Amino acid sequence: MAAPLTEAAIQQVRQLVVDGELVSGQRLPPEAELAESLGMSRSTVREAVRALVTLRVLDVKRGDGTYVTSLRPELLLAGIGAAADLLQNEFTLELVQVRRILEPAATAMAARQITDAELSDLEACLHQMSVASSHEELVEYDEQFHHIVATAAGNATLASMLTGVSSRTTRGRAWRGVIETSATARTMAQHAEILAALRARDPKLAEAAALMHVSTTEAWFRTVLGAAGR
Amino acid sequence: MAAPLTEAAIQQVRQLVVDGELVSGQRLPPEAELAESLGMSRSTVREAVRALVTLRVLDVKRGDGTYVTSLRPELLLAGIGAAADLLQNEFTLELVQVRRILEPAATAMAARQITDAELSDLEACLHQMSVASSHEELVEYDEQFHHIVATAAGNATLASMLTGVSSRTTRGRAWRGVIETSATARTMAQHAEILAALRARDPKLAEAAALMHVSTTEAWFRTVLGAAGR
DNA sequence: ATGACTTCAAACGTCTGATGTCTAGCTTTT
DNA sequence: AAAAGCTAGACATCAGACGTTTGAAGTCAT
């Protein structure tokens, strides 16, 4: 049979992490040693390490060594965002649908435990959006707004996944739609409604406000993709 | 500044895919040509290719060439499952919580459009589970059951994410709990209830049945992690 | 003794070139 | 025309060399 040595190396090192023989923050043996102990050349080990770096399991510090990352959800699930950007148009609506499920749930959770500091941050975001002078700025603070809400839900895994499905490109396209349809005022109002619900610590209301917001985005994509897409 | 050539190569090739210059199924130039056109050595190009293979963007066929994958959600989001297995115990509960959000929603969607063939498959799974003779077999058919439901929801992106958060290790641990607490009969009954709701094409009921099921799992993990975990 | 500067060994980053192995497609044979 | 064998091209792996960066030990002036 074939000899996918690199793949084997990836699995072996990965297994060391799963089994707890390599813990978060720990330093790996130098590439040369690893190569010898795994019975392969340094090039092959490097390819394996590169793969695990891509998965955010390892972190290489040049001139120093290779370390195991914190293995936190924010890192390991960051790939979702990258993946979302690569999905074809065909799946844009699917992404929004997932967001439609996650965002209301997360917003409801946030309503139960959001801090005053986070509420202030949200208000600041809202203000920045209202005075934004460029499309990029608008998207930037919109992203920040939703990220704060997701984080306030107190579930890092959920927050990472939600952030991932709300990738920047999708968000950018949605805002272009908002502007084209002169719905900026309405969208801003929706954000204000979400903030108000959170401030009132009203989970049900927050859930509803978030659903309204995502649904607007969904409707926009449905018309665009339905008309031009295919 | 530093010269992360490999990283640059990854981004460049990735950008070619995003920009549509490399479409799904297309073959890339040979490593040698790529190296020359990107102005770097073959080793470096290989590391970049390896990274993109890990992300399931490229697929290397030895002796033949390197191709762009289908870029479907099942591929690009498969990493979620791998990531879930690497998450520390600390985040197990977070994963279950996400599943608690996604699974009822997906099950409700499935109730609206599941096919008769899929219903038959589910029944077959259920039967296999009832006569399973080993722990592995049980987990196997349980996994299959939920995967069919997720797929029947008609959203490949959602299905991939749901499958990802229901990683095999987590599922295995949950079943161990089911057996330890002699709750096998009850768990089987819950699956039957989900199937019944789907068969009745009753979204609300299906949602409720799925929520009940996931909540049982969540409760189990809460006791285990609360007691021994820390 | 303290702080800043210098030196240096270790480790990663990149390149080169050679050899092994596999695949697809063509050629030959039947 | 179908099956067996052959070959060019492409990936897999290896070995070795050299460049760059980093952290820390060591040095020196204050």
Side-chain angles (χ1 to χ4, degrees):
Chain A
M1 89 162 236
L5 257 188
T6 301
E7 208 60 37
I10 295 175
Q11 292 311 320
Q12 285 184 54
V13 176
R14 190 175 181 282
Q15 200 57 44
L16 289 180
V17 176
V18 172
D19 294 345
E21 297 195 35
L22 287 177
V23 300
S24 184
Q26 187 172 341
R27 175 178 171 165
L28 270 70
E31 291 173 351
E33 280 183 38
L34 251 183
E36 191 173 7
S37 76
L38 292 179
M40 58 189 68
S41 76
R42 196 180 149 216
S43 327
T44 306
V45 168
R46 276 186 61 79
E47 285 189 22
V49 168
R50 169 58 62 183
L52 290 168
V53 167
T54 302
L55 295 176
R56 313 287 197 120
V57 173
L58 299 181
D59 186 26
V60 177
K61 297 174 70 173
R62 184 175 180 175
D64 182 5
T66 304
Y67 298 82
V68 179
T69 67
S70 66
L71 299 179
R72 287 189 52 82
E74 298 93 84
L75 279 180
L76 297 183
L77 297 176
I80 296 179
D85 284 340
L86 284 168
L87 284 177
Q88 322 280 25
N89 273 354
E90 182 183 354
F91 299 106
T92 302
L93 215 46
E94 292 199 355
L95 269 178
V96 179
Q97 278 186 330
V98 173
R99 198 181 150 200
R100 181 183 172 146
I101 297 170
L102 290 179
E103 185 112 34
T107 308
M109 286 168 68
R112 293 194 190 84
Q113 57 185 84
I114 193 167
T115 67
D116 290 335
E118 286 167 330
L119 285 171
S120 300
D121 290 347
L122 286 178
E123 185 164 3
C125 274
L126 207 54
H127 179 257
Q128 292 290 351
M129 284 170 69
S130 70
V131 300
S133 57
S134 71
H135 183 260
E136 286 71 28
E137 227 174 314
L138 212 47
V139 175
E140 166 73 28
Y141 288 111
D142 175 53
E143 187 170 19
Q144 209 169 308
F145 183 95
H146 288 286
H147 189 261
I148 293 173
V149 174
T151 305
N155 182 322
T157 304
L158 172 59
S160 301
M161 296 185 72
L162 183 49
T163 301
V165 296
S166 318
S167 72
R168 195 173 199 105
T169 50
T170 306
R171 202 179 285 284
R173 289 178 58 187
W175 267 102
R176 219 166 301 130
V178 165
I179 294 172
E180 280 176 20
T181 57
S182 309
T184 310
R186 171 149 181 237
T187 305
M188 290 296 301
Q190 287 184 336
H191 281 84
E193 285 162 5
I194 292 174
L195 173 55
L198 290 173
R199 193 172 268 140
R201 323 254 180 208
D202 185 333
K204 272 290 179 191
L205 189 60
E207 182 174 2
L211 179 57
M212 293 296 296
H213 179 46
V214 181
S215 294
T216 303
T217 302
E218 184 184 1
W220 157 251
F221 274 115
R222 210 175 277 282
T223 63
V224 174
L225 298 173
R230 48 169 66 193
Chain B
M1 89 163 237
L5 256 189
T6 301
E7 208 59 37
I10 295 175
Q11 292 311 321
Q12 284 184 55
V13 176
R14 188 174 182 283
Q15 199 58 43
L16 289 180
V17 177
V18 172
D19 294 347
E21 297 194 36
L22 287 177
V23 300
S24 184
Q26 187 172 341
R27 175 176 170 164
L28 269 71
E31 291 174 349
E33 281 183 37
L34 250 184
E36 189 173 10
S37 76
L38 292 178
M40 59 188 69
S41 76
R42 277 163 233 135
S43 332
T44 306
V45 168
R46 277 187 59 79
E47 285 189 21
V49 168
R50 169 60 61 183
L52 290 168
V53 167
T54 302
L55 295 176
R56 312 287 197 121
V57 174
L58 298 182
D59 184 27
V60 177
K61 297 175 71 173
R62 184 173 180 177
D64 183 5
T66 304
Y67 298 81
V68 179
T69 68
S70 67
L71 299 179
R72 286 188 53 81
E74 299 91 87
L75 278 180
L76 298 182
L77 297 176
I80 296 179
D85 284 339
L86 284 167
L87 285 178
Q88 322 280 25
N89 273 354
E90 181 184 353
F91 299 106
T92 301
L93 215 47
E94 291 199 355
L95 269 178
V96 179
Q97 278 187 329
V98 173
R99 197 179 150 202
R100 180 184 173 145
I101 296 170
L102 291 179
E103 185 112 33
T107 308
M109 287 168 67
R112 293 194 189 87
Q113 57 184 83
I114 194 167
T115 66
D116 290 335
E118 286 167 331
L119 285 172
S120 300
D121 291 346
L122 286 178
E123 185 165 2
C125 275
L126 208 52
H127 178 257
Q128 292 289 350
M129 282 171 68
S130 69
V131 300
S133 56
S134 71
H135 182 259
E136 287 71 25
E137 227 174 315
L138 211 48
V139 175
E140 166 73 28
Y141 288 109
D142 175 52
E143 187 171 19
Q144 209 170 309
F145 183 94
H146 288 287
H147 189 262
I148 293 172
V149 174
T151 305
N155 182 322
T157 303
L158 171 59
S160 302
M161 296 185 72
L162 182 48
T163 301
V165 296
S166 317
S167 73
R168 195 173 200 104
T169 49
T170 306
R171 201 179 287 283
R173 289 178 58 187
W175 267 102
R176 219 167 302 132
V178 164
I179 294 171
E180 279 176 20
T181 57
S182 309
T184 310
R186 169 146 185 241
T187 305
M188 291 294 303
Q190 287 184 338
H191 282 84
E193 285 163 5
I194 293 175
L195 174 54
L198 290 174
R199 194 172 266 140
R201 324 249 179 212
D202 186 333
K204 272 291 179 189
L205 189 61
E207 182 174 1
L211 179 57
M212 292 296 296
H213 179 46
V214 181
S215 293
T216 303
T217 303
E218 184 183 1
W220 157 251
F221 274 115
R222 211 175 275 283
T223 62
V224 174
L225 297 173
R230 46 169 65 196

